Amino acid sequence: VAQLGGSGADRSLSEGLCTSIENSQEHAHAVAFSVLVVCQMLNALNALSERGSLLSTGLFANPALIFAIAISMAFHCAVLYVPFLSEAFGVVPLGLHDWAGVLAWSLPVIVIDEALKAFARNDETPPWVSEADKAPPSGRETQM
């Protein structure tokens, strides 16, 4: 095991490890940041209709929203791929493999919201909602 701070070779090893750890932290920040951004863009897309499926509503039902999402994603990519911006935000560029992971973590937003919309269209209460939550309000409010 190499000791840190010893010979010149050991210092190179420790500097390499520090750079690697720093880059992995920046990489983790970039992936997390990208998942958050993509989730929010998909959430905005889901908001096209409160009850209607995204498939029946259509992606281009609101062209202004699509334009806003495209501009937001362009700014996000600028943060990732323009060197002075990525340095300022503490992120590194993502590769195709990283983007596949970002999509894998982000796409469940669509699936979950579509399932909730399907329950709403059928006026069904999702199975995970308790009986107490199903009951209509009594009309009186409790005071504390």
Side-chain angles (χ1 to χ4, degrees):
V1 177
Q3 293 180 355
L4 300 178
S7 69
D10 290 340
R11 272 192 228 114
S12 296
L13 177 61
S14 67
E15 288 170 4
L17 286 173
C18 290
T19 302
S20 175
I21 290 169
E22 193 173 295
N23 283 343
S24 79
Q25 186 176 16
E26 290 173 339
H27 181 260
H29 287 172
V31 171
F33 182 42
S34 296
V35 167
L36 289 171
V37 168
V38 173
C39 278
Q40 289 305 314
M41 296 303 108
L42 293 175
N43 200 29
L45 202 55
N46 270 332
L48 282 170
S49 172
E50 187 175 329
R51 290 181 149 230
S53 170
L54 187 58
L55 298 173
S56 64
T57 305
L59 291 177
F60 299 101
N62 185 343
L65 177 63
I66 299 302
F67 180 73
I69 289 171
I71 293 296
S72 297
M73 288 305 298
F75 282 136
H76 178 66
C77 287
V79 166
L80 291 176
Y81 297 106
V82 174
F84 77 91
L85 288 175
S86 63
E87 198 172 308
F89 280 85
V91 295
V92 294
L94 299 180
L96 288 176
H97 187 295
D98 298 322
W99 279 109
V102 167
L103 288 176
W105 282 101
S106 302
L107 286 176
V109 166
I110 295 277
V111 175
I112 292 167
D113 200 44
E114 286 296 315
L116 292 172
K117 286 179 184 182
F119 281 116
R121 280 193 304 274
N122 296 327
D123 279 333
E124 292 180 21
T125 304
W128 55 84
V129 175
S130 71
E131 290 298 321
D133 290 337
K134 289 181 187 179
S138 65
R140 4 174 240 163
E141 305 215 351
T142 57
Q143 297 178 351
M144 296 190 163

